Amino acid sequence: MGSSTLELKLDSIDLTLPNRERSLYFILSATTPDNPDHLMVTVLPDSGFLKLGKHQSSYHFAPAGDEDGGLFLLSTALPASNTVLARLWVMESMAAVKEIGQILSGITGFVQNQVTGSKLFQTIGGLNPVVLSGVQTVSNGLGQIGTALSKLGDRQLGFVSMDQHFTDSTPPTLTCQQTMMSGNGSLTWSWLSTTTSPVAATPV
């Protein structure tokens, strides 16, 4: 039986707010299946803030039909539970000048150690992601992240759950769309799965 690798990409964001210039960024949190009391946290995009012009309310990271496009979020082997938990916050920077690194430093009080290699999450997007350890439950950990974000001085535009359970009938490319719980817009993202066939043993 082969093993499956999953990749998560953000395709687009569409805001329902009045058009004006905005500097956006995203906070991604995902569970580490081999350490259930750990949550990985990262800031995206790693190239800097996403700038929207005064007459722009949407941004497409991946043009329609382009599976190679999209903002890379994470890559992971399929856990034994067949379920990956991932949450994304959409933030608007209220400071004229701010470095991405300052955002993660703003939640330092909730972070216990730097990310180490995980056998299930090989890659996560963003610069210098960190691990929130000692999480009793996923809900508790996500609540801590939400509290930390409220202290950054930036505006939370919304939040979506990207949690996904995978079965044999899940298509290789699964596109999802969800309205943010705030009602301020919607996000579209894609899960891409690839299966590696086992290598047949060669008689010696």
Side-chain angles (χ1 to χ4, degrees), residues 29-41 76 79-81 83 85 113-122 130-138 141:
S29 177
T31 50
T32 59
D34 51 343
N35 287 293
D37 64 342
H38 286 182
L39 282 174
M40 292 193 296
V41 185
T76 178
S81 64
T83 300
L85 305 181
N113 56 281
Q114 294 293 316
V115 156
T116 55
S118 164
K119 63 183 179 182
L120 291 177
F121 276 82
Q122 294 90 12
V130 290
V131 165
L132 177 65
S133 61
V135 176
Q136 296 179 350
T137 65
V138 171

Side-chain angles (χ1 to χ4, degrees), residues 3 63 80 91 97 105 124-125 149 163 168-169 201:
S3 59
M91 306 290 295
V97 178
S105 68
I124 188 167
L149 295 180
D163 296 358
D168 291 339
S169 61

Side-chain angles (χ1 to χ4, degrees), residues 3 33 54 64 119 151 154 186:
S3 59
K54 61 174 63 177
K119 63 183 179 182
K151 298 177 181 179
D154 289 338
S186 63

Side-chain angles (χ1 to χ4, degrees), residues 5-199:
T5 299
L6 306 171
E7 189 170 290
L8 175 61
K9 292 183 176 183
L10 182 63
D11 296 330
S12 65
I13 177 171
D14 293 276
L15 299 178
T16 55
L17 297 168
N19 291 352
R20 65 176 177 82
E21 293 183 352
R22 301 179 189 275
S23 295
L24 306 181
Y25 62 93
F26 307 96
I27 303 292
L28 173 70
S29 177
T31 50
T32 59
D34 51 343
N35 287 293
D37 64 342
H38 286 182
L39 282 174
M40 292 193 296
V41 185
T42 191
V43 183
L44 300 148
D46 53 16
S47 59
F49 296 111
L50 172 62
K51 302 285 187 178
L52 295 185
K54 61 174 63 177
H55 301 298
Q56 187 179 10
S57 61
S58 64
Y59 189 89
H60 293 265
F61 297 96
D66 180 9
E67 293 187 1
D68 294 327
L71 177 63
F72 174 77
L73 299 181
L74 64 84
S75 175
T76 178
L78 181 65
S81 64
N82 291 340
T83 300
V84 178
L85 305 181
R87 314 294 168 86
L88 193 73
W89 287 263
V90 181
M91 306 290 295
E92 179 179 5
S93 175
M94 306 307 291
V97 178
K98 179 185 290 187
E99 294 182 358
I100 290 292
Q102 292 178 309
I103 299 168
L104 276 179
S105 68
I107 60 173
T108 300
F110 299 98
V111 174
Q112 304 300 316
N113 56 281
Q114 294 293 316
V115 156
T116 55
S118 164
K119 63 183 179 182
L120 291 177
F121 276 82
Q122 294 90 12
T123 312
I124 188 167
L127 292 173
N128 302 316
V130 290
V131 165
L132 177 65
S133 61
V135 176
Q136 296 179 350
T137 65
V138 171
S139 297
N140 175 263
L142 293 171
Q144 291 184 48
I145 296 171
T147 299
L149 295 180
S150 68
K151 298 177 181 179
L152 291 179
D154 289 338
R155 181 184 180 187
Q156 293 189 44
L157 297 186
F159 162 89
V160 295
S161 168
M162 295 176 163
D163 296 358
Q164 189 64 50
H165 180 72
F166 296 87
T167 67
D168 291 339
S169 61
T170 303
T173 299
L174 177 64
T175 300
C176 309
Q177 184 179 50
Q178 187 180 122
T179 298
M180 292 186 284
M181 295 184 180
S182 62
N184 288 333
S186 63
L187 297 175
T188 302
W189 63 92
S190 297
W191 286 100
L192 291 80
S193 62
T194 57
T195 301
T196 302
S197 300
V199 179

